[in-house]
Amino acid sequence: MNTVAITTVRRESLWSKAFYKFSRDRTGMISLVFVLFYMLIAFGVTLGWLATDWSDVQGGKWEGMSTTYWFGTNMIGQDIFSRAIYSTKTAFEVGLVVALIATAVGAVIGAISGFFSGTWIDEVLLWLMGVLDSIPFYLFVAAIVFAMQESPYAMHVAMISTFWTGSSRLVRGEVIKLRGLEYVEAAHAIGVSELGIIFRHILPNTTHILLVQATITFVAAIKSEVILSFLGLGVKDGMSWGLMIAESSQEVMAGFFNNFLAASVLMFGLVMAFNMFSDALQDALDPRKVS
Amino acid sequence: MPMKFLLSAAILLTTALLLSGCGDSQDQGNPGSEVANLKVYRHAMDQAPTSLDPVQAANVYANFIVLNAFDTLFSYKYLARPYELKTNLAAAWPEISADGLTYTIRIKQGVHYVDDPAFSGGRGRELVAEDFIYSLKRHFDPASRPQGAWLWSGRIVGLDEWKQAGSDYSAEIAGLRTLDDYTIQIKLIKPYPQLLFTLAMGYSAVVPREAVEHYGREFAIHPVGTGPFRLTSYDTSKVILERNPNFRQEPVDIEFEGYDPQRHGFSGVAAIDGLSPPLVDRLEINFIAEASARWSSFTKGDEVQYASIPNEQVDQVLASKRPVTLKPEYAEKYHFAAGIEAGFVFQTFNMDFPEFGYNEDPQRERRNKALRCAINKAYAWEQRNESFYIGLGKVFPGIIVPVAPEFDTNLSTESITRDLAGAKKLLADHGWTPENLPPLVYGTNSSVTARLMFEQFRAWMKELGYPTEKIILKRFATFGDISKAWKESRLPFVSKGWGLDFPDAENTLQLFYGPNGSPGSNDANYRNPEYDRLYELASTMLSSPQRTEIYHRMNRLLIDDCVSITGLARTRIYLWHKDVIAIPDREIVGGFFLRYVDIADTEQPAITGSVFR
C-alpha cells in the first residue's frame, strides 16, 4: 500500500504578501505610527477634545515658552501650541477630502480612458488632462480659489480639479494592460456589459496603485493647503500652518520665531512621515517586489 | 585646459562688463557723473497713486505727488502746528463779504506752467484766474471721473445746476467766475467756513485746459502744472520729479513758516531761511509695499532717505517709547520725528441693518442699542493698541480726533474703557442670549494683520457670550473691494480709518451726517435729526467757542447712541538720514513739505530727535 503525503499549500494573495512585507519594513512602521498619532490628534480636535481654545486671546503679546503656553503666544496673545494642534485637523481634513475625491475621480476617468483607448472618448479625456496639466498649478488653483471666494471649499475644489489627472494617467496605463488579459476577454464572451467589466473586474485590480497614489495626493494636498493659506487663498475661517507661517513673516523681524517653528516642525513631521509611509506602501504593493 | 579656462574667464569678464554697462549710471550717482552733483532726495511710500490728476487725488499717495506737480491757491505753513493756512497761488487773503457769502481772491501774476508740448510752441503759459474756474468745474463734469465734488456740492451758487445742465464748459456759473485775469469770485449758497481749507487740498489744484484736452485720459500720468517740480517718469515702483525751472522765486521766511528752535532746531531747517524752493534738483519717490523692504532700503545706505519704523522693529530701534527716543546707534545716523496722526481708526455699525440698527419695532430698536453698547463695552482698546500699534496710539472717546483744534479733553473715557461685566449685564437686561444674538458679519481685507484684528475682536465677543460661529469673517481681496461694499451698504459692521482733509472737526463729524449716507461718507447710515440739525447749524459758523460746543454735543450724541466703537489715533514715527534737511510730515499737508527739503553738503551733528507735534 502506498502512502500518499498530502501537503497543504497556503494560498497567498497580493494583499497578504504586501501586509507581511510592510510589517517587516521598520521605516514604514515607524512612519505609520507617526501618521496614526497625527490622525489621533486630528480626531481629537474634530471631536472637541483638543485645542478648543485655539482662537481665545489669553496671554500677552509674544510671550515666550512656558508651562502655560508651551510654544508661547502670538501677536494678540493666542496660544501658539493650541493653534498648531488645531491646524493638524485642517491639514488632515483637506488631505483626506482631496486625496479621496481626486483619486476616485482619477480612477473612474482613467479606467474609462484606458478601456476605450484609441477611441474618441480616450482622445477627449487625454486632451482634458493635457489642458489641465499644462496650466501652471498655483496660478490655476489661485484662479479657482479667487473665483469661489465665498465658498469655504474653494481650496478643495481647486485641488481636486488638478490632482485627479495624476491618478487618472496611472490608472489608464494599468487598465490598458489589464483589458488584454484573458479574464477580461472571458467576461466579454459571456456578455458582461462594458461598464460592468470596467467597474467590477478591472478597476478593483488597480487598487494597489490607487492606494499609493492617494497617499501621494494626501501629502501634496497638505503642502498646497499650507502654501495657499500662506498666500491668503486657503483657509477662510479656521487655523492652518500656512496662516501661522504668514503671521510669523512679521514676527521673525522682531526676533520671535515660535509661530514659524511650531507650524514648520509639525508640518515637516507629518509630511515626512506620510512620505515615508507612502514609500513603504509603494514597496509593499509593488507586484514586482511582492513575491 | 588652461586655454579653455582663459577663454571662459574672458567670456565671463566681458559679460560682466557688458552687464555693468547696462546699469543706469545716473541712478548710481557715480562721482564725476552729471547727476552726482545734483541734489537728490529719495523718499519711500507704501503705495503708488493710481492717478496724478487732481480731480482724482482722493488719497494721501496721490496728494503727495499732486501737491508738488501742481499748485493750490492756499497751502499750510511748513512748520506751524496746529496747522495754519497761508497764501500760495493767491496773492493775498480773500476779501470776504460781510454776509460771508462772497469770496474775492486775487492770484499772483507771472506764474507759469512747466514747458510742455500741450502749449503753443511748447512753452508753459501764464496761469490765469480762468484756469482755477476750469479746474473746479472739472469736479462737476462726470467725464473727468472726479472724486472731490463733495467738497463744493451744494455750496457754490449755480455749480450743481451747471452739472445737471450737462457740464458745458462754455456756460457761465453765477457763483464761480473771474473778474479779470487775476481775480476769482466765488459766491456761496450759505456760509462755508471750511472753504479756504478745501482750496489747499490737492483736489483744488489748478490745471491748464489745453493740457487736459491734449492728453485726455492720459493726463492722469502726464501732470502739467505750476508746482515746484515737474514729472519726468512714473511707474508702479517709482516717481521721479525734477526741479521746475519756471517755478516762481519766493524765498523762505522760516520764522513765518512757524520755525521754533526748540522743536525744529535739531533738523537744521533754519539753514533754508532765505532760499527759494524747491531746494533739491530731483525727487525720487519710491513705492515699496512691504514695511520690512522699506526699512531695509532705508538702513542699507542711501537707497531711500526716509522711512517709518515697522512695528516689528520698534524694540530694536527705540530706546524708549514715552517719550520716543532712538537707541544711540540709530540716533547717530538718523533724525526722527514722532507724533499723533491727523486721523483715527474706528469701527462702526451700519444702522441700516435691522439686526443692529434701526428697526420698525421700537422695542427691538431699543434692544439693538443695548446690543451695540454691550459690544462697545466689551471692546478692549488698550489691548488693540498694544497688539497692533506698539502701545503708542492714543485711544480717545468719540470722533473728534486729538489733533483737531476742537478736541474735547474733558470728555468721559467710559466709552473706551472695557467693562465686560457691564456689557454682559446689558445683554441680559435686554433679553439677549447666545441663541438669539444676530450673526455679525465682519468685513476685512485679506492681509494677515486684518485677520488677526478680526480674531482678536471675535475672542472679545466670545468673552461677552457671543457664539464664535456667529462672528463671521468676510474677506475682500483689495481695499477697493471692501470700500465698494461699504459704499453699497453691504456690511453691518465697518472697520476703517480716516485721515483729516483739513484741521477742523467738521471733517470727521460729517462722517455721521444723515444726508451723507451710503454711498456717501456716512457708512454708518446714522440718521439722528438732532445730530443733523446741529451739524447744519455749525456748518455755517466760523470757528468759535459756540461752534466747538456744538461739535462736542454732536460727539456726545454719537457716543450715547453707541453707533461707533471709537477710536484710536496712531503715533507715526518717521526717520530720515541726517544729510536731509527737513521736517517730514504728510498729515493733512500731504507732500507739500517736499519743496522745502534740502540736502546738506556735510552730515549734521548727532542729536537725539524731537516730537514735532
Side-chain angles (χ1 to χ4, degrees):
Chain A
M1 195 174 181
N2 294 329
T3 54
V4 179
I6 301 171
T7 53
T8 308
V9 179
R10 212 175 98 220
R11 188 165 172 271
E12 286 187 309
S13 70
L14 171 75
W15 295 105
S16 60
K17 285 180 185 174
F19 178 76
Y20 177 76
K21 188 168 167 44
F22 186 85
S23 63
R24 300 287 297 254
D25 186 335
R26 185 176 292 177
T27 311
M29 289 304 286
I30 292 172
S31 61
L32 178 62
V33 169
F34 267 94
V35 170
L36 288 175
F37 179 66
Y38 273 98
M39 193 182 284
L40 277 178
I41 292 175
F43 274 124
V45 173
T46 307
L47 296 172
W49 297 338
L50 294 172
T52 50
D53 59 348
W54 70 273
S55 67
D56 293 355
V57 172
Q58 307 167 61
K61 181 179 184 179
W62 291 336
E63 284 189 28
M65 292 182 182
S66 66
T67 50
T68 313
Y69 306 115
W70 292 3
F71 286 171
T73 61
N74 70 359
M75 193 176 178
I76 59 172
Q78 293 169 314
D79 184 358
I80 289 175
F81 180 72
S82 283
R83 291 162 78 76
I85 291 295
Y86 187 89
S87 301
T88 310
K89 185 208 90 169
T90 306
F92 254 87
E93 184 257 317
V94 173
L96 272 179
V97 170
V98 172
L100 289 177
I101 299 179
T103 309
V105 171
V108 170
I109 296 178
I112 293 171
S113 180
F115 189 81
F116 295 108
S117 69
T119 69
W120 66 269
I121 298 174
D122 184 37
E123 290 290 320
V124 169
L125 292 174
L126 279 177
W127 172 83
L128 181 64
M129 286 184 248
V131 168
L132 288 173
D133 286 345
S134 66
I135 303 171
F137 173 67
Y138 283 107
L139 280 182
F140 184 64
V141 171
I144 291 182
V145 169
F146 195 75
M148 295 179 63
Q149 275 186 54
E150 298 297 316
S151 169
Y153 297 106
M155 175 174 52
H156 303 70
V157 172
M159 283 193 250
I160 291 166
S161 307
T162 50
F163 287 171
W164 66 269
T165 57
S167 308
S168 190
R169 286 185 192 282
L170 285 172
V171 171
R172 178 179 177 273
E174 187 69 9
V175 169
I176 290 173
K177 189 179 83 182
L178 292 174
R179 71 170 186 170
L181 296 184
E182 288 155 355
Y183 80 94
V184 176
E185 286 178 10
H188 269 300
I190 61 173
V192 179
S193 69
E194 287 181 329
L195 286 179
I197 294 172
I198 294 171
F199 293 110
R200 290 183 60 191
H201 299 291
I202 295 182
L203 207 50
N205 284 309
T206 63
T207 315
H208 61 291
I209 293 174
L210 295 175
L211 203 57
V212 173
Q213 188 60 22
T215 59
I216 293 170
T217 307
F218 186 94
V219 174
I222 289 175
K223 289 194 288 188
S224 300
E225 178 271 308
V226 169
I227 292 168
L228 289 171
S229 296
F230 176 80
L231 295 173
L233 296 166
V235 172
K236 300 269 183 273
D237 191 10
M239 193 30 62
S240 147
W241 292 322
L243 286 174
M244 291 176 70
I245 294 171
E247 281 176 23
S248 73
S249 60
Q250 296 183 340
E251 297 171 345
V252 290
M253 290 281 288
F256 187 80
F257 298 92
N258 292 16
N259 235 337
F260 174 75
L261 288 176
S264 303
V265 167
L266 282 182
M267 184 180 74
F268 175 79
L270 179 60
V271 170
M272 179 62 95
F274 229 103
N275 268 333
M276 293 196 304
F277 170 66
S278 178
D279 281 349
L281 199 63
Q282 197 166 5
D283 287 344
L285 287 169
D286 189 341
R288 288 167 297 184
K289 294 179 183 174
V290 179
S291 58
Chain B
M1 192 67 178
M3 193 61 198
K4 264 188 173 175
F5 173 77
L6 283 174
L7 194 62
S8 304
I11 290 169
L12 276 174
L13 189 64
T14 312
T15 310
L17 287 171
L18 282 171
L19 285 175
S20 66
C22 293
D24 182 354
S25 61
Q26 290 195 338
D27 279 353
Q28 305 300 321
N30 292 331
S33 73
E34 188 184 333
V35 174
N37 297 321
L38 296 180
K39 286 183 176 180
V40 181
Y41 172 59
R42 301 180 184 90
H43 193 86
M45 284 205 301
D46 50 343
Q47 282 190 43
T50 50
S51 168
L52 302 182
D53 186 340
V55 293
Q56 290 155 11
N59 55 48
V60 68
Y61 311 108
N63 264 299
F64 208 75
I65 318 291
V66 164
L67 287 172
N68 285 291
F70 299 92
D71 247 338
T72 48
L73 293 188
F74 300 92
S75 61
Y76 291 92
K77 290 184 180 177
Y78 178 30
L79 303 169
R81 301 293 180 272
Y83 297 93
E84 280 180 42
L85 278 180
K86 66 173 185 177
T87 58
N88 191 30
L89 278 177
W93 287 104
E95 293 164 17
I96 306 173
S97 63
D99 59 5
L101 293 177
T102 305
Y103 285 62
T104 305
I105 305 169
R106 292 185 209 296
I107 63 169
K108 289 171 181 166
Q109 298 187 23
V111 175
H112 283 79
Y113 288 104
V114 293
D115 295 341
D116 191 272
F119 298 111
S120 170
R123 302 271 300 166
R125 68 162 170 80
E126 188 181 15
L127 181 146
V128 291
E130 188 56 40
D131 292 332
F132 172 80
I133 307 295
Y134 172 74
S135 303
L136 223 58
K137 279 180 172 176
R138 291 184 72 224
H139 282 281
F140 290 78
D141 173 10
S144 304
R145 296 180 297 155
Q147 298 184 45
W150 60 276
L151 288 166
W152 302 289
S153 182
R155 307 280 192 177
I156 296 175
V157 174
L159 194 50
D160 292 285
E161 292 77 7
W162 179 82
K163 179 184 176 183
Q164 284 158 14
S167 306
D168 175 9
Y169 286 94
S170 62
E172 294 283 321
I173 297 173
L176 192 61
R177 61 196 189 99
T178 58
L179 301 184
D180 58 48
D181 275 355
Y182 304 104
T183 310
I184 298 159
Q185 188 181 70
I186 300 174
K187 286 188 175 173
L188 299 172
I189 296 167
K190 59 186 176 184
Y192 185 19
Q194 292 83 22
L195 177 67
L196 297 190
F197 287 133
T198 70
L199 301 183
M201 292 170 65
Y203 279 136
S204 70
V206 183
V207 302
R209 183 171 182 170
E210 49 269 64
V212 174
E213 290 174 352
H214 178 80
Y215 290 110
R217 284 275 172 100
E218 293 207 352
F219 187 67
I221 54 171
H222 280 286
V224 179
T226 58
F229 295 96
R230 58 178 301 160
L231 185 131
T232 56
S233 81
Y234 170 35
D235 58 39
T236 52
S237 66
K238 187 190 282 188
V239 156
I240 297 178
L241 300 124
E242 288 182 350
R243 175 199 293 272
N244 171 10
N246 296 345
F247 193 65
R248 55 192 182 278
Q249 295 290 300
E250 291 178 347
V252 177
D253 178 349
I254 202 75
E255 300 295 332
F256 172 78
E257 297 292 341
Y259 178 75
D260 176 354
Q262 293 276 316
R263 291 164 60 213
H264 308 120
F266 75 94
S267 67
V269 288
I272 69 168
D273 191 42
L275 302 178
S276 289
L279 306 176
V280 294
D281 300 296
R282 187 155 87 159
L283 280 180
E284 290 183 11
I285 299 168
N286 299 268
F287 309 122
I288 309 172
E290 281 294 323
S292 52
R294 279 199 305 279
W295 183 247
S296 177
S297 291
F298 175 74
T299 52
K300 72 192 281 189
D302 250 13
E303 198 167 288
V304 297
Q305 294 156 304
Y306 161 95
S308 52
I309 306 176
N311 278 1
E312 57 273 15
Q313 286 289 340
V314 165
D315 291 335
Q316 277 76 38
V317 178
L318 295 190
S320 69
K321 289 184 183 175
R322 292 188 181 83
V324 173
T325 56
L326 301 187
K327 285 182 176 173
E329 60 268 34
Y330 290 95
E332 194 180 328
K333 289 192 280 187
Y334 311 120
H335 286 311
F336 82 96
I340 300 288
E341 70 168 328
F344 69 134
V345 291
F346 62 109
Q347 279 79 40
T348 195
F349 292 96
N350 185 343
M351 299 293 283
D352 271 353
F353 278 72
E355 300 90 339
F356 297 96
Y358 302 124
N359 196 294
E360 290 176 355
D361 176 4
Q363 193 193 350
R364 173 63 194 257
E365 196 166 307
R366 279 195 296 277
R367 291 179 66 218
N368 282 357
K369 181 181 171 183
L371 174 58
R372 294 196 304 272
C373 292
I375 291 173
N376 189 43
K377 280 178 184 290
Y379 201 93
W381 271 114
E382 287 305 334
Q383 206 175 334
R384 174 140 298 194
N385 190 12
E386 196 58 46
S387 302
F388 297 100
Y389 307 107
I390 52 176
L392 285 176
K394 182 169 175 58
V395 180
F396 64 95
I399 60 158
I400 298 179
V401 298
V403 302
E406 301 88 357
F407 180 63
D408 189 351
T409 51
N410 298 319
L411 196 55
S412 163
T413 55
E414 190 187 339
S415 66
I416 50 170
T417 307
R418 192 172 203 222
D419 176 13
L420 196 56
K424 286 180 175 176
K425 184 175 184 304
L426 203 54
L427 285 187
D429 289 349
H430 289 80
W432 288 113
T433 63
E435 291 73 35
N436 66 13
L437 282 167
L440 195 161
V441 178
Y442 185 109
T444 186
N445 64 47
S446 54
S447 73
V448 172
T449 304
R451 186 190 169 86
L452 283 170
M453 284 181 169
F454 160 75
E455 287 202 28
Q456 192 180 55
F457 175 77
R458 184 172 61 180
W460 294 334
M461 293 304 108
K462 187 179 174 187
E463 290 171 30
L464 173 64
Y466 225 112
T468 303
E469 65 276 10
K470 287 190 173 179
I471 309 293
I472 300 159
L473 175 66
K474 187 172 175 60
R475 294 190 306 176
F476 294 84
T478 64
F479 177 77
D481 292 339
I482 194 168
S483 182
K484 193 176 173 198
W486 295 336
K487 296 291 170 207
E488 293 173 356
S489 192
R490 284 192 275 125
L491 289 171
F493 192 68
V494 173
S495 303
K496 68 187 299 187
W498 183 265
L500 287 189
D501 295 305
F502 41 79
D504 186 325
E506 188 270 350
N507 196 233
T508 51
L509 290 166
Q510 58 89 23
L511 294 173
F512 293 88
Y513 176 52
N516 286 352
S518 300
S521 54
N522 178 4
D523 297 316
N525 290 297
Y526 180 60
R527 293 182 295 275
N528 181 332
E530 175 63 4
Y531 184 92
D532 292 350
R533 186 187 70 79
L534 291 172
Y535 179 85
E536 284 156 17
L537 181 67
S539 69
T540 58
M541 294 171 71
L542 290 170
S543 179
S544 65
Q546 291 75 24
R547 192 182 73 167
T548 300
E549 177 49 31
I550 293 172
Y551 282 177
H552 289 179
R553 282 169 62 192
M554 294 165 71
N555 206 20
R556 288 195 294 271
L557 278 176
L558 281 171
I559 293 170
D560 290 345
D561 278 346
C562 296
V563 66
S564 185
I565 303 172
T566 176
L568 181 144
R570 295 161 288 195
T571 290
R572 309 284 199 194
I573 306 173
Y574 304 124
L575 275 77
W576 62 99
H577 285 219
K578 284 206 166 168
D579 59 343
V580 176
I581 301 170
I583 297 287
D585 174 14
R586 73 177 196 189
E587 306 293 323
I588 295 184
V589 300
F592 188 72
F593 75 89
L594 287 173
R595 68 187 64 190
Y596 301 112
V597 171
D598 200 1
I599 302 293
D601 294 330
T602 53
E603 292 249 318
Q604 299 294 302
I607 302 171
T608 52
S610 165
V611 175
F612 64 79
R613 203 174 299 122

